[in-house]
Amino acid sequence: MVRVLKWVGLVFAVMITGLTGYGAKGYFDAVRDVDGLRDRAERLLAAGRGGEGLGDERLEDLLRVQDPAYFEHGGVDFTTAGAGATTVSQSVSKRLAFERFRPGIGKIRQTGYALGLESRLDKDQILALWLDTLEMGRGPDGWMTGFHHASEQVFWASPAEIERGDFLRLAAVLIAPGQYDLRADDPALAERVGRIERLLTGECVPLDHGDVWLEGCGPTAQ
């Protein structure tokens, strides 16, 4: 029995070491990539395609839905209601660090990469990269990538210039871009927008940290 426990302990230690190493690989991959990413972010910011390009109030609304403690945490958030398992920094890391992201063990490297970004870039730079890489669903010319790009393609104006309802439609798509249709009268998208509106007006709060679908703001939760 003692021998078995020793083997189990050894296997567990090897697993922990391997996972730690995989996370560290993500971190140092980000450090390696950061010069090019910083240049890309600065070009986006100079073109008004970062967070400031949304307008202060709209940026705040978007982050309340996607990553409420973005400007306070260091890349991960295990406690904020509605934050879910993926912060803005982790979200952009999934697209920058992987040709094809697979959940599970990939989360370890994704998180390491996010921590690497946070150690070398400022929040505005990370936010600009995130906005530029977001999957936004189907548009008039096919699949759309980038929050600003989707706004221009579907609503013919920047996110700061479109109607607030249209802005919330863009925000609502992010949780499942392949599921919603920005170009049509989509009841499911309208229902998601309604939940976001109730959150932003303070009529409701997420049920817990993992409530990214805003079940606490559903019609039956009122």
Side-chain angles (χ1 to χ4, degrees), residues 20-38:
T20 301
Y22 195 45
K25 181 181 186 311
Y27 180 92
F28 289 111
D29 285 346
V31 171
R32 177 202 64 202
D33 296 343
V34 78
D35 287 342
L37 293 174
R38 183 183 294 110

Side-chain angles (χ1 to χ4, degrees), residues 26-127:
Y27 180 92
F28 289 111
D29 285 346
V31 171
R32 177 202 64 202
D33 296 343
V34 78
D35 287 342
L37 293 174
R38 183 183 294 110
D39 289 345
R40 177 179 172 182
E42 286 300 316
R43 289 195 298 271
L44 290 167
L45 290 168
R49 300 179 80 83
E52 289 185 357
L54 306 179
D56 291 343
E57 183 177 344
R58 291 189 173 182
L59 173 58
E60 182 181 351
D61 286 347
L62 182 61
L63 290 178
R64 283 184 64 189
V65 177
Q66 294 298 127
D67 189 351
Y70 174 66
F71 284 106
E72 285 73 52
H73 65 62
V76 295
D77 184 352
F78 300 112
T79 60
T80 304
T86 304
T87 64
V88 162
S89 302
Q90 289 170 306
S91 173
V92 72
S93 295
K94 180 170 67 174
R95 291 180 291 280
L96 295 176
F98 296 85
E99 289 186 10
R100 184 177 180 184
F101 178 77
R102 288 184 172 85
I105 193 171
K107 191 74 175 180
I108 303 297
R109 180 167 174 262
Q110 176 195 23
T111 299
Y113 199 96
L115 295 175
L117 293 182
E118 289 272 356
S119 74
R120 296 296 192 275
L121 300 179
D122 64 37
K123 290 288 189 177
D124 289 338
Q125 291 167 336
I126 294 172
L127 192 59

Side-chain angles (χ1 to χ4, degrees), residues 166-177:
D166 290 334
F167 181 86
L168 295 183
R169 284 167 62 84
L170 291 172
V173 161
L174 297 180
I175 196 168

Side-chain angles (χ1 to χ4, degrees), residues 105-203:
I105 193 171
K107 191 74 175 180
I108 303 297
R109 180 167 174 262
Q110 176 195 23
T111 299
Y113 199 96
L115 295 175
L117 293 182
E118 289 272 356
S119 74
R120 296 296 192 275
L121 300 179
D122 64 37
K123 290 288 189 177
D124 289 338
Q125 291 167 336
I126 294 172
L127 192 59
L129 293 169
W130 177 69
L131 289 166
D132 191 51
T133 59
L134 283 170
E135 301 288 344
M136 300 298 301
R138 294 174 298 277
D141 298 319
W143 192 259
M144 299 181 294
T145 301
F147 198 90
H148 289 270
H149 175 71
S151 179
E152 293 158 357
Q153 286 287 300
V154 178
F155 302 118
W156 300 95
S158 73
E161 297 170 326
I162 61 178
E163 297 291 330
R164 185 171 185 273
D166 290 334
F167 181 86
L168 295 183
R169 284 167 62 84
L170 291 172
V173 161
L174 297 180
I175 196 168
Q179 179 175 317
Y180 299 125
D181 191 346
L182 278 168
R183 303 163 299 163
D185 183 10
D186 183 344
L189 180 58
E191 199 273 339
R192 172 72 178 168
V193 168
R195 293 182 184 223
I196 290 173
E197 287 178 325
R198 288 189 284 275
L199 171 73
L200 297 178
T201 58
E203 296 176 41

